[in-house]
């Protein structure tokens, strides 16, 4: 092959690739907007704007993209509830003493927008990513009311101070993996209504819970033995 | 040139080496100098922010309220892109006149372009660190008005280079080079747009990131590499040209649709799973060809002793490109694996290895090839250059290995066992991330400092003495 034949083949192949890629891209963007992501409301868009203006993405990954320094947030709206997220983002230290997420001056409105954004992101069809862990710990194997309690323990931010079976934080609260052995249901209930009732010098906050939420959590904690 | 040079072949390389080279053929090749200088000065600055970020993994409260991790990372990444692009532009200014056999169209435009980029660079750092503004997408966080300035600089550059070539001649090398430069500038324009839908935003963001490093930058780098090889080994130009087309052609054929390896999990349709896997899985093939192409010139290279440092960097670039981009990239490119490793320290290990070898090392090779000629040096010590070479390369390989171990561990504990992200980071990865910091801080960083020192001393050092017979005096450096 001469040089000019090589060049012509080169150009031809590349043009074919670019055209094929462009066609698939148009199709992809159409499907992403129409089917694979929920509609983008004004609030979701505003949340995304805050997310980018504060450069959260260079510490956190979202959809697996970004800095590897801080927790992946694609599904954060599934593991934390809106109140906890809002409290944490506006004032990380207050919600979780000792945390190393900086206070970035997120206002209450911005936090609402961010929550809407995270809820939107958690509903993107990601082909099943992130994958479920392969090995289930005892904490993930329980069922019924206990598993509702288990969800709540996550969502209400208990795991941002406590650890259960290797999940959650190392402090300031004690490890709760065997708490059912130590503490009976009554005491657990009283503690959740008002921690200072049980331990006057407690620094644990009284998390607002409905009666049934509290019951589920107590039921779950009592199975941890 | 060839006759004189062979006689220097057996000069012991650790000592100073004579350069029996003419000065630059075209005056405007010296335009490369300001670009290479700024590039070289920004390189250590980038390292400083890398070290801060790495240290924050170990001491999370370091600079928490002044220069937190996200600012350190954005500075690290933007300086990375900046010094590499400046380096590639410097190499372009050097090689275009020689390849097109004419002076650069306008020296003034080249200086205006340089000023635009220099101002934008300083402004970007101020914006990140003092005004804490960001566009919030990694690698391209500069705010809109700076994006516009960068685009203007790029247009001036393309006009200047384009008119230079048009006035004279297109060679295959110039064709590949210019298409690459135009393509990468065009892709950058995507950064001027933002989409409200995060998935769409990231869909096009990958057109910048992926189609840069696995497409258009590869074209520019392949052209620079071909030029460097030609200068060092004196191989037949036509052979180089043909291989250039074949390698770059395969790179693009696999790399364009290969973008699909970033479209597995971001909300894009599932046909990208097989497409991304197949095409990106073939991406190592052209890289392997390139290594072979480089290595096969080794036996008949004629200026080996004189271009020792440059040649070492060429080898490091070719081999590292294959291992860092080809092997480390391939290792995580199939969906079955990427599902678990996506967005972990495994990604960081590959990002470092590939960027450093494919682009960083190549630019340093180009510096060692061109700087002595720009300066008209006939003699220069290579010892410092070799120390810098080994420190940087050992440091980088050590960093990459630490990150790889950390990444595999993280994948297992966090993704497979489902342990908490922060517990894994602080209690299991800290040890390995500390080694990353150590390799980076104690080996790579001093290597970079030595390189900058070498660059500066080559730039301002006194002109070496040459004996009347033309035989150089061997200085002991
Ligand atoms: C002392 C040397 C260095 C240190 C300590 C360092 C540290 C870091 C840190 C902490 C990050 C952020 C990673 C994360 O999000 O967790 C990073 C990212 C990055 N650095 Fe470096 N770095 C160094 C040198 C380099 C060099 C020489 C290059 C290339 C020429 C480079 C290219 C990159 C790239 C491409 C990323 C983004 C990686 C990704 O997104 O996967 N770094 N570096
Ligand atoms: C010189 C060439 C290359 C460079 C500079 C490079 C650089 C990078 C960087 C910086 C990232 C991280 C992006 C981010 O922040 O998320 C990345 C990701 C990736 N690269 Fe490369 N790359 C190169 C070639 C390749 C090749 C040839 C392959 C495949 C064979 C490959 C496969 C991947 C994959 C699969 C990811 C995604 C990792 C993840 O899911 O987190 N890369 N690359
Ligand atoms: Fe890629």
């Amino acid at each position: 092959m001469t040089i000019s034949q090589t060049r012509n083949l080169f150009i031809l192949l590349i043009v074919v690739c670019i055209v094929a890629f462009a066609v698939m891209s148009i199709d992809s963007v159409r499907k992403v907007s129409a089917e694979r992501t929920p509609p983008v409301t004004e609030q979701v868009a505003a949340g995304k704007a805050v997310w980018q203006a504060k450069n959260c993405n260079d510490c956190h990954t979202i959809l697996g993209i970004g800095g590897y320094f801080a927790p992946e947030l694609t599904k954060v709206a599934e593991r934390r509830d809106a109140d906890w997220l809002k409290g944490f983002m506006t004032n990380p230290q207050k919600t979780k003493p000792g945390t190393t997420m900086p206070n970035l001056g997120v206002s209450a409105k911005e936090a609402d927008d961010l929550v809407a954004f995270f809820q939107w992101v958690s509903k993107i069809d990601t082909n099943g990513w992130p994958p479920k862990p392969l090995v289930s710990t005892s904490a993930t194997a329980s069922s019924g009311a206990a598993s509702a309690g288990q969800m709540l323990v996550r969502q209400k931010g208990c795991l941002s101070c406590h650890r259960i079976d290797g999940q959650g934080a190392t402090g300031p609260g004690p490890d709760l993996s065997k708490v059912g052995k130590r503490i009976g249901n009554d005491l657990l209930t009283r503690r959740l209504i008002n921690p200072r009732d049980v331990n006057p010098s407690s620094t644990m906050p009284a998390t607002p819970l409905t009666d049934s939420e509290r019951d589920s959590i107590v039921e779950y904690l009592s199975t941890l033995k | 040139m060839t006759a004189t040079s062979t006689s220097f072949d057996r000069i012991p390389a650790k000592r100073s080496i004579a350069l029996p080279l003419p000065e630059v053929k075209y005056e405007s090749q010296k335009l490369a100098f300001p670009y290479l200088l700024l590039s070289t000065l920004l390189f250590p600055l980038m390292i400083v922010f890398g070290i801060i970020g790495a240290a924050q993994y170990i001491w999370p409260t370091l600079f928490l309220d002044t220069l937190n991790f996200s600012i350190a990372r954005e500075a690290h990444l933007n300086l990375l892109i900046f010094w590499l692009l400046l380096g590639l532009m410097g190499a372009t200014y050097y090689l275009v006149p020689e390849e097109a056999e004419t002076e650069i169209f306008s020296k003034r435009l080249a200086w205006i372009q340089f000023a635009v980029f220099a101002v934008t660079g300083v402004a970007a750092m101020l914006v990140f660190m003092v005004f804490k503004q960001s566009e919030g997408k990694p690698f391209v966080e500069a705010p809109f008005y700076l994006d516009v300035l960068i685009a203007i600089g790029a247009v001036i550059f393309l006009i200047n280079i384009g008119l230079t070539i048009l006035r004279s001649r297109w060679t295959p090398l110039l064709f590949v080079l210019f298409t690459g430069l135009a393509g990468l500038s065009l892709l950058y324009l995507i950064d001027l747009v933002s989409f409200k839908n995060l998935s769409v935003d990231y869909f096009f963001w990958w057109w910048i990131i992926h189609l840069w490093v696995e497409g258009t930058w590869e074209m520019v780098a392949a052209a620079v590499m071909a030029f460097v090889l030609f200068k060092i080994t004196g191989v037949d130009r036509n052979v180089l040209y043909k291989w250039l087309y074949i390698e770059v052609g395969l790179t693009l054929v696999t790399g364009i649709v290969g973008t699909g390896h970033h479209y597995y999990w971001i909300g894009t349709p599932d046909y990208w799973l097989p497409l991304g896997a197949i095409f990106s899985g073939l991406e190592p093939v052209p890289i392997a060809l390139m290594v072979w192409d480089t290595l096969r010139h080794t036996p008949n290279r004629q200026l080996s002793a004189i271009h020792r440092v440059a040649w070492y960097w060429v080898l490091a670039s070719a081999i590292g490109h294959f291992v860092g981009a080809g092997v480390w990239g391939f290792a995580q490119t199939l969906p079955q694996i990427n599902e678990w490793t996506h967005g972990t320290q495994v990604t960081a290990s590959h990002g470092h290895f590939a960027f450093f070898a494919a682009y960083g090392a190549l630019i340093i090779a180009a510096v060692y090839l061109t700087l002595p000629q720009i300066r008209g040096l006939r003699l220069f010590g290579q010892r410092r250059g070799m120390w810098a070479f080994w420190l940087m390369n050992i440091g980088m390989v050590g960093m990459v290995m630490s990150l790889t171990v950390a990444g595999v561990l993280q994948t297992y504990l966090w993704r497979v066992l489902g342990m908490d992200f922060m517990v894994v980071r602080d209690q299991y990865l800290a040890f390995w991330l500390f080694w990353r910091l150590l390799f980076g801080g104690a080996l790579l960083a001093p290597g970079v400092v030595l390189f900058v020192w070498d660059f500066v001393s080559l730039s301002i050092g006194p002109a070496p003495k040459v004996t009347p017979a033309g035989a150089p005096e061997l200085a002991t450096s």
Side-chain angles (χ1 to χ4, degrees), chain B residues 120 123 127 131 133 135 142-150 192:
Chain B
T120 316
V127 163
F131 304 107
Q133 271 183 344
E135 232 170 38
F144 183 79
Y145 48 92
L146 293 182
D147 295 345
V148 173
L149 273 181
I150 295 170
L192 296 174

Side-chain angles (χ1 to χ4, degrees), chain B residues 116-157:
Chain B
V116 170
F117 281 131
V119 167
T120 316
V122 174
M125 288 303 121
L126 283 179
V127 163
F128 293 157
M129 265 162 261
V130 182
F131 304 107
K132 315 227 163 169
Q133 271 183 344
S134 175
E135 232 170 38
K137 276 180 285 179
F139 294 93
V140 286
E141 292 96 336
F144 183 79
Y145 48 92
L146 293 182
D147 295 345
V148 173
L149 273 181
I150 295 170
I152 292 173
V155 169
I156 299 176
F157 180 55

Side-chain angles (χ1 to χ4, degrees), chain B residues 81-127:
Chain B
I81 302 294
F82 210 49
W83 84 265
L84 293 180
L85 281 178
L86 283 169
L88 290 176
M89 288 188 286
T92 303
Y93 273 116
Y94 185 90
L95 77 78
V96 164
E98 204 165 311
E99 183 72 13
E101 298 183 343
T102 180
E103 296 286 352
I104 290 289
F105 172 72
S106 160
K107 276 194 190 180
R108 176 180 302 183
L109 274 184
W111 278 102
I112 294 175
Q113 179 213 341
F114 179 74
V116 170
F117 281 131
V119 167
T120 316
V122 174
M125 288 303 121
L126 283 179
V127 163

Side-chain angles (χ1 to χ4, degrees), chain A residues 67-68, chain B residues 46 50 54 57 73 76-77 80 347-348 352 355 396 399 440:
Chain A
Y68 316 119
Chain B
M46 171 230 183
Y57 266 97
R73 190 180 195 264
H76 185 59
L77 297 186
L80 164 77
T347 314
H352 276 91
F355 255 113
M396 181 46 89
M399 265 178 61

Side-chain angles (χ1 to χ4, degrees), chain A residues 68, chain B residues 73 139 205-206 213-214 218 261-262 280 283-284 287 321 325-326 329-330 332-333 338 341-343 347 350-351 354-355 358-359:
Chain A
Y68 316 119
Chain B
R73 190 180 195 264
F139 294 93
W205 177 80
W206 281 116
V213 300
E214 287 158 74
E218 287 272 21
H261 66 178
H262 303 294
S280 74
E283 281 181 48
I287 306 180
H321 193 164
F330 182 81
Q332 52 188 300
T333 206
N338 190 266
T341 58
H342 178 48
T347 314
H350 155 69
F355 255 113
Y359 303 115

Side-chain angles (χ1 to χ4, degrees), chain A residues 106-193:
Chain A
V106 174
S107 71
K109 160 151 194 326
E110 286 173 335
D112 282 335
D113 296 345
L114 280 166
V115 169
F117 171 65
F118 287 138
Q119 283 165 347
W120 179 88
V121 171
S122 71
K123 295 194 199 81
I124 296 175
D125 181 351
T126 55
N127 292 331
W129 192 88
K132 295 266 172 305
L134 285 184
V135 187
S136 58
T137 57
S138 61
T140 49
S142 42
S143 61
S147 74
Q150 186 189 349
M151 288 274 284
L152 285 165
V153 162
R154 241 176 216 295
Q155 290 176 347
K156 296 294 173 189
C158 314
L159 289 188
S160 69
C161 291
H162 294 284
R163 179 122 73 127
I164 298 176
D165 289 334
Q167 309 241 351
T170 43
D175 191 322
L176 298 181
S177 307
K178 303 253 184 304
V179 71
K181 231 186 219 162
R182 286 198 297 277
I183 309 177
N185 287 11
D186 279 0
L187 210 57
L188 280 175
T189 309
R190 274 172 55 204
R191 154 163 306 270
L192 289 184
I193 294 170

